[in-house]
Amino acid sequence: PKLEKVKILVMKLNIAFFLLSASLQAAAAFPKLRPNRDLQVTCPQTIDDLDFPNIVHCSDGYIRMAVDATLEGTGCTRNGVLMQLGGSEDFSLAYANLRTTCRSTIEPCSQAEDLEATFPDIVNCGQNTIKQSIIGLIPDECTRGFDTEAVALAPDEYTVWKDGNEATSDARDYWMDTCESAITPCITDFAA
């Protein structure tokens, strides 16, 4: 009888340990905003806290870095902030929402009109020529390279410079097409 009681007690302890372990794993898998109680600080509450107008690129990696920059010293969790500001507990959807918001608020370092103004007199509309035009417009204090600046200058649906993925729209194609429609040919009359 004592051995049976010990076995039952051990089994109950194992079940309690299992439930505690599962609870801790669930809390880690679905973190909420949990500021460090000792710091008495506020976690980022709005998209404005992420400074999307000045972000380098609206990719998940740069969005993560923008979130991390707001968390320094707060004790808040990255995942909690991503889910709150992204409006979903589904990370994929939260990131998609944040990318969309980012694309609509990012501010290029240069002006699309200035790039388009180079097209009538440009030598050709190849990607390297357009790349050089973009580089020439980027101010020294800008943290973007030509590829991320080209995306920032393009309409919101153009999310990469060039990636070969049919599911994404390439800013390179947009700028090459825009250039082709604006370039002035050197010879306008082919009649002999």
Side-chain angles (χ1 to χ4, degrees), residues 22-68:
S23 175
L24 291 174
Q25 288 175 350
F30 302 102
K32 299 290 182 200
L33 294 175
R34 293 177 295 196
N36 183 328
R37 305 274 186 250
D38 299 332
L39 295 175
Q40 297 300 317
V41 295
T42 304
C43 294
Q45 298 293 314
T46 68
I47 294 291
D48 292 341
D49 294 330
L50 301 181
D51 194 24
F52 280 165
N54 297 307
I55 198 167
V56 172
H57 189 254
C58 295
S59 65
D60 293 353
Y62 281 104
I63 290 171
R64 251 188 320 276
M65 287 191 298
V67 169
D68 289 348

Side-chain angles (χ1 to χ4, degrees), residues 8 29 131 164:
I8 290 172
K131 172 184 168 181

